[in-house]
């Protein structure tokens, strides 16, 4: 029993972690006309860890609901559908972008003008939650002129 405890303690001390983790960088939500009931969110989901991870849910106090979606071609028709998870392999990044994987944000609870910040809570398959912020923009951040105020948002892990 003592050997098992010491092995667990040594494993913890070496920093070896089996916990999943993700980051959301350059998160943005496209501006919408007044009265719009659905907006789309984008960014880069990164997995800096050593274990594969997955985003399984997203929420925001600014919206009635948030869903994970994908778009794909079905013959000559672009189709959007709700999905249950977005997998991100260890050490890799998955881009949420127009025409591909993205967040659909339904029923906005307030006016979201360009420059507004939207708080998000992302839930991973391992029940870890990540706090993130998305900025409302007319176009993708890499397409916009950047300045010192255009920075990546920091994310906090909670369990």
């Amino acid at each position: 029993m003592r050997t098992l405890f010491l092995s667990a303690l040594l494993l913890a001390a070496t920093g070896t972690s089996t916990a999943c983790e993700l980051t959301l960088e350059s998160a943005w939500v496209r501006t919408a006309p007044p009265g719009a009931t659905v907006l789309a969110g984008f960014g880069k989901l990164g997995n800096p860890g050593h274990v594969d991870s997955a985003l399984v849910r997203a929420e925001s106090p600014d919206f009635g609901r948030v869903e994970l979606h994908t778009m794909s071609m079905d013959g000559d028709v672009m189709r959007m559908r709700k999905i249950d998870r977005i997998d991100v392999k260890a050490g890799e990044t998955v881009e949420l972008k127009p025409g591909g994987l993205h967040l659909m944000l339904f029923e906005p609870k307030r006016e979201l003008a360009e420059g507004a910040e939207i708080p998000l809570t992302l839930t991973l398959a391992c029940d870890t939650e990540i706090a993130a912020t998305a900025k409302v923009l007319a176009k993708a951040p890499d397409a916009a002129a950047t300045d010192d105020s255009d920075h990546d948002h920091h994310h906090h892990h909670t369990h």
Side-chain angles (χ1 to χ4, degrees):
M1 181 70 155
R2 183 169 183 239
T3 304
L4 183 61
F5 173 74
L6 289 175
S7 296
L9 189 60
L10 182 60
L11 184 63
T14 63
T16 303
S17 173
T18 57
C20 66
E21 57 184 307
L22 288 179
T23 60
L24 179 61
E25 300 295 329
S26 304
W28 65 287
V29 171
R30 181 168 288 156
T31 54
T37 59
V38 180
L39 287 83
F42 313 102
K44 294 178 182 166
L45 279 175
N47 183 346
H50 301 290
V51 175
D52 292 351
S53 190
L55 174 63
V56 296
R57 185 171 59 248
E59 300 173 294
S60 174
D62 289 336
F63 292 87
R65 76 180 192 278
V66 179
E67 296 179 355
L68 311 178
H69 277 230
T70 188
M71 292 184 79
S72 59
M73 290 301 292
D74 181 7
D76 292 338
V77 178
M78 180 68 83
R79 300 213 186 265
M80 182 171 51
R81 66 181 174 88
K82 182 180 174 186
I83 56 177
D84 293 329
R85 61 191 289 133
I86 298 173
D87 293 306
V88 185
K89 294 192 179 299
E92 294 188 5
T93 299
V94 171
E95 189 170 4
L96 307 182
K97 61 185 179 181
L101 295 167
H102 59 280
L103 301 177
M104 289 301 298
L105 304 109
F106 296 90
E107 304 154 13
K109 296 180 179 179
R110 66 180 175 108
E111 187 67 32
L112 296 163
E114 184 161 5
E117 293 191 347
I118 298 170
L120 295 166
T121 300
L122 307 178
T123 304
L124 310 185
C126 63
D127 289 330
T128 295
E129 289 186 343
I130 298 168
T133 303
K135 194 168 206 170
V136 177
L137 300 172
K139 56 186 173 179
D142 55 0
T146 59
D147 62 19
D148 291 339
S149 66
D150 197 22
H151 60 276
D152 288 334
H153 299 281
H154 299 282
H155 312 286
H156 308 281
H157 298 262
T158 58
H159 296 277

